[in-house]
Amino acid sequence: MRLHEYQSKSLFAKHDIPIPQGCVATTPAEARRCAKELGGAVAVKAQVLIGGRGKAGGIRLADTPAAAEETAAAILGMEVRGLAVRELLIEESVHIAQEIYLGIVVDRSQRRAVMMASAEGGVEIEQVAHDRPEAIVKVTIDPLSGLSDVQTGALARDIGLEVQLHDAFGRIARGLYEAFAAHDATLAEINPLVVTGQGKLLALDGKMVIDDNALSRHPDLSQMRAQSAQDTGQETPVERKAREAGLSYVHLGGEIGCVVNGAGLAMATMDVIKYFGGVPANFLDVGGGANAAKTAAALRLVLGTPGLKAVLVNIFGGITLCDEVAQGIVTALGEVETRVPLVVRLVGTNEERGQEILAESGYRLLSANTLAEAARKVVAVASGEAAT
Ligand code: GDP
Ligand code: MN
């Protein structure tokens, strides 16, 4: 679970990391009120769960409360890298003298948390790591003894931080590690950690990713997710529909839509499509024992995929009844007008009745008995070859 900037910062503050004063706004009027309370210029920051907001225009400065209101309206009306903005963080604007990177991740190979720092903060750290790996310094944290003063001192020195700031840097680094450890995080990051015009260190951005498997230990964090009106809105419309229909769906962007029962069979189906030269448009597991309504919902969803060239329905009926599935296919085709060819492999329980329903429906469907045959056919029709 990824936390929003304002949520991460609220956890940082509990561990004595200095953050700018600010408040969350969901309307331009709230943004104005907040800017007025803060007094002076503010930064208006889109709260979306993606990095690079600055470059995408999701972070702007405003000099007056009226300007903050106007800026808030503009940012609330836009998408930042494909995500709609529903919440804003309004913060006192800070004069920046230097931007530092400070972060902690889990290094799986060492089975330890690793703290990284760089004098080249502000930009994406992945880019720095790629272009100039020597500009990032690291220390490995012992889980029993924690982060030592010697380690934080070494980081401060190695990034060339001026000596007067070393103690403050050490406190922030320790706070970040405490926040990371206390919340079972897999990542905690301050980018940028800035040196202000007044020569103080301040966490200007915050990012935390919590291990989903540990959420049961953190009821307060689960609440954060529920509170954030945005999180459900971060799904694409198709993903939301899939979740609401109880389908396991992952968009992949290829040309061949897949409707399959069972996650393992769905994986195998994608593999076999790839093996024959096709590209799956999605992963979709309708689940065991899917009825007509659920199958119809699944097929409707897949038929709505942009760039779709063909669909493969692959059902191996055990508990799932083939006649129910067939009924679902017919229902969906009655509702969604489509010119995309459908290949249907329907085997198992009530297979004969299912085949009859499909044959009686009058829709032109291509059938197949084995998965290999089905995959070969769907790849052929997707590339515009005549069906055989
Ligand atoms: P990100 O682009 O999503 O990582 O968002 P950040 O919160 O890191 O902001 C990106 C950049 O915007 C920072 O590196 C700063 O240069 C700038 N920025 C953010 N807040 C302020 C502010 O209060 N004052 C000024 N002058 N710049 C800011
Ligand atoms: Mn940032």
Side-chain angles (χ1 to χ4, degrees):
M1 167 183 164
R2 192 171 159 173
L3 301 186
H4 283 292
E5 177 189 4
Y6 71 90
Q7 296 169 327
S8 305
K9 281 177 167 169
S10 76
L11 297 183
F12 289 173
K14 286 186 189 155
H15 294 274
D16 298 325
I17 297 173
I19 58 169
Q21 284 205 54
C23 39
V24 176
T26 54
T27 64
E30 269 175 39
R32 182 189 193 123
R33 224 174 302 138
C34 178
K36 202 167 166 203
E37 274 170 33
L38 291 170
V42 294
V44 181
K45 309 183 78 175
Q47 298 298 289
V48 284
L49 296 175
I50 199 158
R53 296 166 302 164
K55 272 191 208 147
I59 296 174
R60 293 185 212 165
L61 302 179
D63 285 337
T64 62
E69 181 170 8
E70 217 172 281
T71 306
I75 296 180
L76 282 169
M78 69 186 260
E79 282 189 350
V80 174
R81 302 181 63 192
L83 296 176
V85 184
R86 295 192 172 79
E87 292 171 307
L88 301 166
L89 177 61
I90 314 296
E91 279 186 338
E92 54 173 334
S93 176
V94 173
H95 178 68
I96 300 170
Q98 193 196 342
E99 297 192 320
I100 294 165
Y101 173 91
L102 184 66
I104 306 177
V105 290
V106 175
D107 181 340
R108 284 170 177 267
S109 62
Q110 293 195 68
R111 298 194 285 171
R112 292 279 192 275
V114 171
M115 177 169 270
M116 297 177 290
S118 174
E120 297 179 27
V123 289
E124 278 174 43
I125 197 68
E126 291 84 358
Q127 197 62 43
V128 179
H130 180 265
D131 298 343
R132 309 192 340 93
E134 70 282 359
I136 301 174
V137 290
K138 301 176 188 175
V139 295
T140 301
I141 304 172
D142 185 300
L144 295 179
S145 53
L147 186 66
S148 72
D149 292 351
V150 174
Q151 287 181 309
T152 58
L155 288 176
R157 186 192 62 225
D158 291 348
I159 63 169
L161 194 66
E162 48 185 313
V163 177
Q164 309 90 282
L165 290 173
H166 283 206
D167 283 350
F169 178 87
R171 278 194 298 277
I172 290 170
R174 262 193 309 284
L176 189 64
Y177 178 62
E178 279 169 23
F180 171 91
H183 297 95
D184 290 310
T186 57
L187 178 144
E189 190 179 85
I190 305 174
N191 186 27
L193 171 65
V194 301
V195 181
T196 66
Q198 290 82 41
K200 292 257 175 0
L201 284 169
L202 196 61
L204 211 59
D205 190 10
K207 176 176 170 185
M208 280 186 85
V209 180
I210 309 296
D211 185 344
D212 287 332
N213 294 315
L215 278 181
S216 60
R217 300 209 289 212
H218 304 286
D220 51 325
L221 296 185
S222 309
Q223 235 169 317
M224 266 189 185
R225 163 139 77 178
Q227 272 166 11
S228 172
Q230 200 172 12
D231 290 332
T232 42
Q234 296 282 334
E235 293 170 326
T236 64
V238 177
E239 284 165 346
R240 190 179 62 250
K241 273 190 219 156
R243 187 174 48 74
E244 286 167 358
L247 304 164
S248 306
Y249 175 95
V250 181
H251 179 71
L252 298 170
E255 303 174 334
I256 299 174
C258 304
V259 176
V260 188
N261 68 320
L265 188 59
M267 297 293 282
T269 303
M270 298 192 304
D271 282 349
V272 177
I273 288 172
K274 281 223 108 166
Y275 178 80
F276 286 109
V279 186
N282 65 279
F283 167 94
L284 194 159
D285 170 16
V286 292
N291 58 16
K294 209 163 169 190
T295 309
L299 186 54
R300 266 197 306 266
L301 197 80
V302 168
L303 287 173
T305 310
L308 194 73
K309 297 249 173 83
V311 174
L312 173 54
V313 180
N314 184 22
I315 302 294
F316 193 86
I319 298 167
T320 305
L321 307 176
C322 290
D323 54 332
E324 281 279 335
V325 170
Q327 196 54 58
I329 295 173
V330 173
T331 304
L333 291 177
E335 291 168 6
V336 184
E337 211 174 311
T338 182
R339 318 186 93 196
V340 167
L342 250 73
V343 177
V344 182
R345 176 189 180 231
L346 197 56
V347 295
T349 315
N350 295 357
E351 174 181 335
E352 295 78 13
R353 182 68 200 120
Q355 299 291 1
E356 274 170 30
I357 292 170
L358 294 182
E360 285 162 10
S361 73
Y363 293 113
R364 203 171 151 268
L365 304 169
L366 302 164
S367 68
N369 290 318
T370 67
L371 174 50
E373 184 192 350
R376 220 179 296 128
K377 272 190 183 169
V378 81
V379 172
V381 293
S383 60
E385 286 173 35
T388 49

